[in-house]
Amino acid sequence: MLKQPDRKYRAFAPIGLKDRTWPDAVLTQAPIWLSTDLRDGNQALVEPMDIARKMRMFEQLVAIGFKEIEVGFPSASQVEFDFVRKLIEEDRIPDDVTIQVLTQARDHLITRTFESLQGAPRAIVHLYNAVAPVMRKVVLGMSEDEIVELATTHAEMFKDCAAKQPLTQWTFQYSPEMFSGTDLAFSKRVVDAVTEVWGATPQNQCIINLPSTVEHSTPNIFADMIEWMHRNLARRDGIVLSVHPHNDRGTGTAAGEFALMAGADRIEGCLFGNGERTGNLDLVNVALNLYTQGVSPELDFSRIDDIRATVEHCNQIPVHPRHPYVGDLVYTSFSGSHQDAIKKAFSARKEGDMWDMPYLPIDPKDVGRSYEAVIRVNSQSGKGGMAYLLESEYGIEMPRRLQMEFMQTVQRVMDVAGKELSAADLYALFEREYGLKTVHALQHRVLEEQGEGAGASIVLRGDLQWDGETCHIEGRGNGPIDAFIHALVDATGHAVRVIDYHQHAIGAGADAQAVAYLELRVDESQTLFGVGIDADTISASLKAIVSGLERARGQGARSAQSVAEPA
């Protein structure tokens, strides 16, 4: 690093907005949310989503409550185009949801984009072109006048293309790309020219999206930029003012919240902050930050672990264990003083009290977490060492939440035995707890059925050892696990839902075994893991489900017995 970085890097100039009002603003309602997971988030992935993963993400976003979803860049690839067509042709878009698509300011891309939207009931079409000095001078070689002409010419083209599809309810959106690195006077000039072409009025609103394409400044300066535009744009009452913060300086959430305080009506981002470089604004952070201030975000994160599992599957990127609100460790304190304060506060709290807990800004139960990791924090001690021994000696690579669960069993044994457990002791305890020797292989056959993509299904038939008897089972689903879960309802009377899934191999070659770890929700009352080991990967997964079901039944029986026993 340079000893004098000012010789290479220039400080970002403040705006000098002396009468700024945003520092005293209080957010009292949710903004308009736009998820760009399927577009900006998707283009940042090493392996972009296929149609199946895009559909799973779209359905998750709808379930959360997003009413505006940027579903793709249909002129960029056939997969992007086909996904938009699938949503429209299969009537997958709910009546209260509007899809958004993106296009550059280029004639053939705009034409292709509008083609993708044929038959859509409602659509936001998002136009962008670069306006920053470095882009104008170095990349595009265009003057300011040429940039304005580029934007307005293609804004006119939007109107012409939309007129050819009068049955669709159109909304136009414009982004001056790299707004965060552009002087405000020129940003205003370009935006004003575009809104004039579109005839923005309160009855015919367009969206103007101001992106911090790259974070150049502290978030207070970005807020000044937004407030300046909010005050000075022509036709402001015909504009929905949107922001699209990135996170290059690690201040995307702060910049987004400040921008809303400064006059923005709408905010764009991704679940858990996926996106180019260090990511987009994390919409979950902003939404739950509002929630902890008593403001309804109008989005539902009450099953945040399920949402995380979907996002990790679709993005193929793990969420960090310290990630706000959703990470594995964010509700767990390891410090003894923290533990003592939390326990005392829980003991003193009465039902209906305002939430005022040390070290816990949100009630974990509100997002579908239990108090177990919070209240029983002492049971977490030694978790890392236990996991290391099982992995190094036996190849067992437990996911973190399974480590936490199994450590409670280890701690109970250690409390009784009063001595350290060896790797062999730990593995014997692991075998017993998850029934690795008692859960028998399921004799099964998978029958392929007709159908493709999201509509495909298979039938699984087989014989299951349950309650000392052999039960014939049959179930249909979108895969062997899903089919088996459906079969279990009839065979055992228990409903099972898979929350998370991990699998890896032990050994190599002919002796290799698959280990499956499935986090399950049984009868919507118990959340626990099942573990299965088998030479066949599907069999390992099915064994893991039976393992979890057996454990749930055993825990239920122990709970019933403890209730029945006299005090």
Side-chain angles (χ1 to χ4, degrees):
M1 295 178 66
L2 301 174
K3 294 186 181 300
Q4 296 176 299
D6 59 319
R7 295 186 177 181
K8 184 174 183 179
Y9 299 100
R10 184 185 305 114
F12 196 89
I15 304 307
L17 193 67
K18 302 303 181 186
D19 57 344
R20 63 180 63 85
T21 62
W22 66 263
D24 293 323
V26 176
L27 298 177
T28 59
Q29 63 182 26
I32 300 168
W33 305 101
L34 183 282
S35 160
T36 188
D37 289 88
L38 291 164
R39 198 278 301 171
D40 200 350
N42 185 51
Q43 73 184 35
L45 301 177
V46 175
E47 180 188 339
M49 297 179 221
D50 57 18
I51 287 181
R53 280 193 286 157
K54 283 177 79 78
M55 188 61 71
R56 179 172 173 181
M57 178 68 84
F58 178 78
E59 290 172 349
Q60 180 67 80
L61 294 168
V62 169
I64 291 169
F66 285 96
K67 304 306 179 187
E68 295 183 1
I69 301 172
E70 192 167 47
V71 296
F73 199 149
S75 63
S77 72
Q78 192 62 45
V79 169
E80 296 285 286
F81 187 94
D82 290 346
F83 179 66
V84 177
R85 294 308 309 152
K86 185 178 182 70
L87 289 174
I88 297 168
E89 291 170 2
E90 296 182 3
D91 196 22
R92 300 266 191 155
I93 307 166
D95 291 340
D96 61 348
V97 172
T98 301
I99 61 170
Q100 176 173 306
V101 294
L102 179 75
T103 179
Q104 290 173 295
R106 298 172 68 183
D107 290 8
H108 69 287
L109 301 182
I110 292 172
T111 300
R112 178 71 166 164
T113 299
F114 275 88
E115 285 176 4
S116 75
L117 293 167
Q118 295 245 1
R122 298 160 307 283
I124 300 167
V125 193
H126 182 184
L127 173 71
Y128 78 96
N129 64 281
V131 299
V134 67
M135 297 296 288
R136 296 197 310 261
K137 298 172 184 177
V138 178
V139 179
L140 301 175
M142 298 176 73
S143 67
E144 289 188 355
D145 289 346
E146 289 172 321
I147 291 291
V148 174
E149 182 179 1
L150 176 71
T152 55
T153 298
H154 292 95
E156 288 279 8
M157 188 175 177
F158 265 42
K159 291 172 63 179
D160 294 340
C161 290
K164 296 173 184 177
Q165 300 183 48
L167 298 181
T168 298
Q169 180 183 327
W170 298 104
T171 300
F172 299 154
Q173 174 170 326
Y174 174 69
S175 288
E177 191 194 14
M178 296 190 73
F179 165 78
S180 51
T182 306
D183 57 286
L184 291 175
F186 184 60
S187 292
K188 169 179 160 56
R189 180 186 170 193
V190 178
V191 169
D192 285 351
V194 169
T195 60
E196 182 178 12
V197 169
W198 285 343
T201 66
Q203 295 74 38
N204 180 41
Q205 288 189 320
C206 64
I207 301 169
I208 295 300
N209 185 55
L210 304 177
S212 56
T213 309
V214 177
E215 270 200 312
H216 292 298
S217 67
T218 50
N220 62 300
I221 293 178
F222 183 66
D224 280 353
M225 296 172 72
I226 299 303
E227 183 163 342
W228 190 95
M229 293 289 280
H230 168 59
R231 292 186 191 181
N232 290 285
L233 285 176
R235 291 166 286 277
R236 178 64 181 91
D237 60 355
I239 292 171
V240 175
L241 191 60
S242 179
V243 290
H244 182 113
H246 277 247
N247 197 44
D248 300 270
R249 294 169 57 93
T251 58
T253 296
E257 291 178 329
F258 285 4
L260 294 175
M261 294 161 63
D265 309 303
R266 180 179 185 265
I267 196 161
E268 300 189 351
C270 292
L271 299 177
F272 312 129
N274 182 44
E276 298 280 11
R277 304 179 307 280
T278 56
N280 289 289
L281 168 94
D282 182 345
L283 293 176
V284 183
N285 270 17
V286 178
L288 291 179
N289 285 353
L290 283 173
Y291 182 82
T292 63
Q293 301 304 299
V295 178
S296 171
E298 299 176 12
L299 298 173
D300 184 3
F301 295 106
S302 58
R303 292 170 62 170
I304 202 166
D305 287 342
D306 289 0
I307 294 169
R308 179 182 63 183
T310 295
V311 171
E312 289 181 331
H313 168 78
C314 293
N315 291 344
Q316 303 292 292
I317 297 174
V319 173
H320 194 278
R322 298 288 183 191
H323 198 101
Y325 297 112
V326 69
D328 282 332
L329 302 178
V330 296
Y331 304 113
T332 302
S333 292
F334 294 99
S335 161
S337 61
H338 289 196
Q339 295 169 10
D340 183 61
I342 291 169
K343 288 178 179 177
K344 288 178 179 176
F346 267 120
S347 298
R349 186 174 187 274
K350 297 180 178 61
E351 187 67 30
D353 286 353
M354 295 297 289
W355 186 257
D356 186 18
M357 298 288 288
Y359 309 112
L360 290 172
I362 190 174
D363 185 345
K365 282 192 173 179
D366 288 356
V367 291
R369 291 286 185 87
S370 71
Y371 291 146
E372 194 167 352
V374 175
I375 298 173
R376 301 193 60 171
V377 285
N378 285 333
S379 69
Q380 307 303 305
S381 303
K383 166 171 54 66
M386 174 272 294
Y388 172 79
L389 284 174
L390 287 178
E391 181 175 351
S392 61
E393 297 294 327
Y394 296 94
I396 299 295
E397 301 171 13
M398 288 186 287
R400 185 174 294 276
R401 289 195 297 280
L402 175 55
Q403 293 177 29
M404 293 177 178
E405 178 187 273
F406 181 53
M407 189 58 206
Q408 296 173 39
T409 301
V410 174
Q411 194 68 54
R412 285 194 295 268
V413 171
M414 291 180 69
D415 288 344
V416 173
K419 64 180 182 66
E420 183 179 359
L421 298 180
S422 68
D425 294 332
L426 287 169
Y427 188 69
L429 185 58
F430 186 73
E431 279 187 324
R432 185 168 70 249
E433 178 67 20
Y434 295 96
L436 299 186
K437 290 185 175 180
T438 57
V439 173
H440 301 290
L442 172 72
Q443 303 299 319
H444 68 275
R445 289 185 299 140
V446 175
L447 306 178
E448 298 290 340
E449 295 288 297
Q450 292 183 347
E452 297 180 356
S457 67
I458 63 102
V459 171
L460 181 141
R461 293 176 183 155
D463 295 312
L464 171 69
Q465 295 296 318
W466 184 257
D467 274 343
E469 296 181 3
T470 300
C471 304
H472 180 71
I473 62 169
E474 179 173 327
R476 178 186 295 272
N478 57 27
I481 292 177
D482 191 40
F484 183 52
I485 285 172
H486 284 97
L488 284 176
V489 175
D490 294 330
T492 70
H494 295 287
V496 178
R497 177 162 54 89
V498 176
I499 294 177
D500 207 359
Y501 174 92
H502 297 268
Q503 190 175 78
H504 67 84
I506 297 178
D511 295 329
Q513 295 253 295
V515 187
Y517 314 97
L518 273 69
E519 189 175 13
L520 307 171
R521 184 74 172 168
V522 179
D523 295 331
E524 292 301 325
S525 61
Q526 292 174 277
T527 301
L528 40 64
F529 274 85
V531 180
I533 300 179
D534 198 276
D536 176 73
T537 56
I538 293 177
S539 293
S541 300
L542 304 188
K543 280 185 175 181
I545 295 171
V546 177
S547 161
L549 198 53
E550 291 276 18
R551 293 184 66 235
R553 186 171 63 165
Q555 290 182 12
R558 285 194 294 273
S559 297
Q561 181 180 359
S562 64
V563 170
E565 287 174 351

